[in-house]
Amino acid sequence: MTASEIAKDIYWVGAVDWNRRNFHGYSVCPKGTTYNAFLIKDEKTTLIDTVSAEFSGELLCNIAQATGSGKVDYIVVNHVEPDHSGALPRLVESLKPEKIFISPMGLKVLKEYYNCEGWPLEVVGNDTTLSIGRRSLKFLETRMLHWPDSMMTYVVEDKLLISSDAFGQNLASSERFADQVDQGELWGQTSRYYANIVLPYSTVTLKVLEEVTKPGWEIGMIAPDHGLIWRGEGVGQVVEAYTRYARQAPTNKAVVFYDTMWHSTEHMAGAIADGLVQTGVSVKIMSLAANHHSDVMAEVFEAGAVLAGSATHNNGVLPSMAGMLAYMKGLRPQGKIGAAFGSYGWSGESMKHIAAQMADMGFEMIEGVRVKNAPKHEQLKGCVQLGRTVGEALKAKLAAS
Ligand code: FEO
């Protein structure tokens, strides 16, 4: 995708990965993604971030297009994860930058990924102000948002925050700005990205939001390393959304996810959802056989109540449920009501296993339902009642919040 001027003498020079579906091995990105890199033409032409290694050639072309000469004096490495640093070795060899700026933690990680011998590396941090000519750059170390090395770069004169992984979305497009694309798609992808990548670092996120809204950090544009750039009203909207995401306030939504062998647990899921709907809660039913765990996680993140069900298998849960619970535990959702359910043939441990794990994750657990073999009418009524009980509890929690 061609270089694009996003502000006077500041260019997007990244790459659009239209066909990417597997994101870092743990999530899916059905709409592709982008690796954003930004070039500032000033007395010292400065490149901020690079792209995944397979797009190195495209990045070099875009840099040549934006600069006219292909000359880059400085490179800033906001984040060493290979989707943003993979092109760096080729760039250093081709462009021979005068200096490469990186956070203290970034320096350690970079040396563990690449042979940096002879690279002109220089550490920058929160106290650094770097003049590149008419402009000055400030840096904000954002450790664990979402790696220990992560930092943001602020272009003071342009009020531009280049925010690394924060505020991003996996959304391939020919447009560069958030206000140019379908808003439902944009916000869906923004929330999904937070749920699957940023969620465990919500405490850090709140601290960063506090920092970047202080005087001296007036922000007119936020340019993340994935997806669309926020400008105008979008800046306030995404800051407000991130504050809401990080606080994880309860919502009037529930998700019922399950896996089943002979449809018994599936029928229970349907009846539980009916009970939730009867209390006015918006519900999503998600089979783990039909939905990727990152799709389910996107809904768990948005839900105030989460109900998980599995048939008992070899005295435990089905493998898909074991994987989903492990994935959810790592992402540390907070402040949600939970309940477990499931069918069984003889021993019936699945509900106990799910409930114990969810309790351990901090869910406010409500006693679940289990059914031997196929649920009969009376037992399905019990499932409806479980849905109603969870729905009422969620309503009470929302009223009190
Ligand atoms: Fe998009 Fe943490 O890398």
Side-chain angles (χ1 to χ4, degrees):
M1 194 58 56
T2 188
S4 169
E5 192 172 30
I6 60 163
K8 175 90 175 101
D9 287 334
I10 302 180
Y11 293 79
W12 176 91
V13 289
V16 180
D17 196 346
W18 295 96
N19 298 320
R20 171 68 46 195
R21 293 294 178 270
N22 179 320
F23 192 70
H24 299 7
Y26 54 78
S27 179
V28 291
C29 50
K31 301 293 178 181
T33 194
T34 73
Y35 314 110
N36 297 338
F38 302 96
L39 186 123
I40 306 171
K41 289 207 290 189
D42 209 310
E43 287 167 29
K44 296 290 184 186
T45 296
T46 302
L47 176 70
I48 298 164
D49 296 317
T50 74
V51 296
S52 196
E54 66 268 35
F55 292 96
S56 304
E58 205 165 308
L59 174 61
L60 284 164
C61 281
N62 283 344
I63 291 169
Q65 198 181 26
T67 57
S69 64
K71 185 174 183 296
V72 168
D73 301 296
Y74 292 168
I75 298 176
V76 175
V77 180
N78 272 341
H79 184 21
V80 182
E81 192 161 13
D83 48 340
H84 308 295
S85 72
L88 196 58
R90 186 166 163 196
L91 257 71
V92 175
E93 193 183 332
S94 304
L95 304 175
K96 301 197 172 20
E98 185 184 324
K99 285 181 182 174
I100 301 169
F101 299 98
I102 191 162
S103 72
M105 291 298 285
L107 184 65
K108 289 183 189 171
V109 182
L110 195 77
K111 286 179 174 173
E112 287 159 2
Y113 263 96
Y114 308 108
N115 176 8
C116 306
E117 212 176 306
W119 289 16
L121 293 161
E122 194 166 313
V123 167
V124 290
N126 292 352
D127 298 331
T128 310
T129 300
L130 173 68
S131 171
I132 59 170
R134 297 183 303 282
R135 295 177 179 82
S136 43
L137 307 183
K138 292 204 306 187
F139 306 96
L140 180 65
E141 291 174 71
T142 55
R143 292 184 188 186
M144 299 318 300
L145 187 60
H146 96 290
W147 270 20
D149 64 290
S150 297
M151 73 173 183
M152 298 181 181
T153 298
Y154 179 58
V155 187
V156 178
E157 291 73 12
D158 297 274
K159 299 184 172 60
L160 167 63
L161 182 67
I162 298 174
S163 62
S164 193
D165 276 327
F167 307 110
Q169 332 87 42
N170 285 316
L171 188 50
S173 71
S174 57
E175 290 72 26
R176 300 277 67 88
F177 291 102
D179 51 79
Q180 294 173 318
V181 300
D182 178 86
Q183 294 300 289
E185 183 97 274
L186 172 78
W187 287 105
Q189 293 299 333
T190 303
S191 166
R192 179 198 174 90
Y193 182 97
Y194 191 95
N196 283 286
I197 296 162
V198 185
L199 182 59
Y201 314 114
S202 290
T203 307
V204 183
T205 301
L206 285 172
K207 283 189 185 139
V208 168
L209 288 168
E210 197 183 315
E211 228 22 72
V212 300
T213 45
K214 281 181 179 167
W217 288 88
E218 289 77 22
I219 297 172
M221 209 184 281
I222 297 179
D225 272 0
H226 294 288
L228 285 308
I229 299 164
W230 305 91
R231 65 180 174 186
E233 288 180 356
V235 171
Q237 287 167 355
V238 78
V239 167
E240 191 276 327
Y242 256 57
T243 306
R244 185 162 31 85
Y245 296 164
R247 288 184 180 150
Q248 297 188 63
T251 64
N252 189 36
K253 291 181 183 175
V255 59
V256 181
F257 67 78
Y258 69 93
D259 205 354
T260 194
M261 279 193 219
W262 298 107
H263 303 294
S264 296
T265 303
E266 185 171 53
H267 289 146
M268 294 174 77
I272 290 166
D274 285 348
L276 284 156
V277 170
Q278 286 169 18
T279 63
V281 173
S282 173
V283 185
K284 285 250 167 78
I285 304 177
M286 302 185 86
S287 153
L288 294 176
N291 294 280
H292 191 268
H293 56 249
S294 59
D295 291 322
V296 178
M297 194 60 216
E299 298 300 333
V300 166
F301 170 60
E302 293 207 342
V306 178
L307 297 98
S310 171
T312 293
H313 178 239
N314 294 337
N315 306 110
V317 296
L318 285 165
S320 58
M321 179 58 73
M324 181 65 219
L325 292 172
Y327 187 68
M328 188 164 75
K329 182 179 182 180
L331 289 164
R332 304 202 285 270
Q334 302 292 315
K336 298 183 193 300
I337 294 169
F341 62 97
S343 67
Y344 65 99
W346 49 96
S347 56
E349 293 92 342
S350 64
M351 190 181 89
K352 186 179 70 181
H353 280 300
I354 295 168
Q357 290 188 56
M358 290 178 73
D360 188 48
M361 289 178 221
F363 282 83
E364 301 153 39
M365 296 303 290
I366 286 174
E367 182 64 31
V369 172
R370 66 175 192 157
V371 166
K372 193 162 188 296
N373 290 315
K376 301 290 185 303
H377 183 69
E378 282 307 309
Q379 291 163 316
L380 287 174
K381 277 168 66 179
C383 293
V384 172
Q385 185 52 49
L386 172 61
R388 290 188 65 87
T389 304
V390 172
E392 300 294 355
L394 182 55
K395 290 283 186 191
K397 188 173 174 180
L398 286 165
S401 65

